[in-house]
Amino acid sequence: MVTSRDVARLAGVSQATVSRVLSSATNIAPETRLKVQAAMEALGYVPHAGAQAMKTRRARTVGVVVKDVTNPFYPEVLDELTRELDGAGYRVVLWNAGGGSHHDALSAIRERAVDGVIFTTATGETVELQVAVEKQSPIVLINRVVEGLDADQVVSDNVAGGAAVADYLHQNGRTRAAYIGGLPGASTSRDRARGFLERMQHLGHPVPEDLRFHADFSHDASQHVTSRLLARADPPEAVFCANDYMAFGALDALRSRGLSAPGDCWVIGYDDVDMASWPSFDLTTVRQPSREMARAGARMLLERLADPARPAQQRSFPCKLIVRGSTGAAATA
């Protein structure tokens, strides 16, 4: 059986150095780390995860909480998170929160079953999250902002993204628009609505209350809401959905009634997931750099694990309107 002593002997370093490399310590010279890793590979050495956890008090595991893993936004984020964390020697455990509960993930931190948690579902109502942050639990929020929470947070400029949609509709004469939001307590839904509705008001096209809906970021709920909108005597000229998943539902509602976008109603989403560019959807949407956001969040968590007392960071990424076939005119510069 190959041991860490064998690795140390081949690499020409001490066993303590091998242990520090295995625990991802930062005070290791790059060339030393490479020598140890090369020796491990040459000998086929695989460290015992349980023993490492006992020595370092680290599980080498990170939890990730998502709202609905069937939403195509999350697989893209998870792919990038896993790539970044795996490169640092961490495994990923996924919680599909469903109703939004964070209890299991926060319990896992307290019990040291995971070293930290990345939340993509947090809302301002999460009191337990506030308590965990105050205790310096390693927590990062991605695609969410909770006001007053002194935690690492990564988000895109959702207010500007919503405003860009309003400007585009105004420029192209589509002034009677409906808005379909996500979860009422989610910062993404709140800020996208704020940017869109305030800019529409400013441009002289206020969106009436009976054209504003919440669909919980759900395809099926959005499809139902859009069907109701299309059945009105005065249907909207455009529907702006707070994510692409709901926009796909809006497009399906049009098709089920023998209608089309952009011929009968324009449809705009948000996120620019990979599926948005597929010919069957060809969706105009607001692109947020989800993979860059995921990388930034993963690195923030790794920095937090290395230095639990460092000041919290907040990063905001710019967005861009991407015009495709679900609307009928190119964007103006």
Side-chain angles (χ1 to χ4, degrees):
M1 177 181 177
V2 179
T3 67
S4 61
R5 186 189 301 274
D6 299 321
V7 174
R9 186 179 298 114
L10 180 60
V13 300
S14 67
Q15 271 189 274
T17 297
V18 174
S19 295
R20 290 202 300 276
V21 170
L22 290 172
S23 63
S24 296
T26 57
N27 59 337
I28 300 288
E31 59 271 18
T32 301
R33 187 183 303 277
L34 289 173
K35 283 169 55 178
V36 172
Q37 291 171 340
M40 290 171 58
E41 185 173 348
L43 294 171
Y45 174 72
V46 178
H48 188 278
Q52 282 301 116
M54 291 180 64
K55 289 179 183 178
T56 65
R57 297 181 65 80
R58 290 280 176 87
R60 308 301 298 174
T61 302
V62 169
V64 179
V65 182
V66 303
K67 170 67 170 67
D68 179 4
V69 76
T70 64
N71 182 335
F73 171 79
Y74 290 114
E76 294 180 19
V77 170
L78 288 169
D79 179 62
E80 202 63 39
L81 284 175
T82 302
R83 189 192 314 273
E84 196 72 25
L85 292 168
D86 182 68
Y90 284 84
R91 296 167 295 180
V92 172
V93 174
L94 177 66
W95 278 278
N96 197 35
S101 171
H102 308 91
H103 176 75
D104 290 345
L106 293 172
S107 294
I109 293 182
R110 290 194 297 270
E111 296 164 6
R112 299 186 183 277
V114 298
D115 298 315
V117 176
I118 293 174
F119 289 96
T120 67
T121 60
T123 69
E125 301 171 356
T126 312
V127 176
E128 193 178 10
L129 183 61
Q130 177 73 52
V131 172
V133 169
E134 290 173 356
K135 293 182 177 179
Q136 293 191 340
S137 297
I139 288 170
V140 173
L141 275 57
I142 295 179
N143 201 39
R144 288 292 190 274
V145 168
V146 174
E147 299 296 336
L149 187 70
D150 191 28
D152 297 313
Q153 305 184 48
V154 182
V155 74
S156 66
D157 191 344
N158 291 291
V159 174
V165 173
D167 288 337
Y168 174 64
L169 293 178
H170 170 73
Q171 291 159 5
N172 291 284
R174 292 277 165 155
T175 58
R176 180 170 170 75
Y179 174 73
I180 303 178
L183 293 167
S187 64
T188 45
S189 184
R190 178 196 68 218
D191 291 345
R192 291 166 194 177
R194 175 185 158 202
F196 178 67
L197 298 174
E198 288 185 359
R199 184 62 64 86
M200 288 292 281
Q201 177 82 28
H202 175 75
L203 293 170
H205 319 302
V207 179
E209 290 290 339
D210 63 347
L211 292 182
R212 306 180 189 183
F213 297 88
H214 286 288
D216 294 343
F217 291 127
S218 160
H219 170 282
D220 292 348
S222 178
Q223 184 174 1
H224 176 70
V225 166
T226 305
S227 291
R228 288 170 51 195
L229 286 168
L230 296 171
R232 294 171 56 124
D234 55 347
E237 300 170 310
V239 175
F240 172 39
C241 300
N243 75 356
D244 289 344
Y245 201 33
M246 292 191 296
F248 298 153
L251 290 171
D252 286 340
L254 280 161
R255 291 165 183 157
S256 69
R257 301 179 69 88
L259 304 174
S260 67
D264 297 288
C265 180
W266 287 16
V267 175
I268 301 174
Y270 205 109
D271 287 334
D272 195 27
V273 300
D274 288 344
M275 290 170 60
S277 65
W278 292 5
S280 55
F281 296 114
D282 201 19
L283 179 68
T284 293
T285 182
V286 179
R287 174 181 294 164
Q288 63 171 345
S290 57
R291 290 184 180 273
E292 292 178 48
M293 291 162 62
R295 277 197 301 275
R299 290 171 185 176
M300 280 184 182
L301 185 64
L302 295 172
E303 292 170 11
R304 174 67 56 192
L305 290 169
D307 182 7
R310 70 158 176 75
Q313 302 177 52
Q314 292 194 8
R315 289 195 62 185
S316 178
F317 288 80
C319 297
K320 180 181 180 181
L321 180 68
I322 305 299
V323 176
R324 298 193 179 99
S326 67
T327 58
T332 58

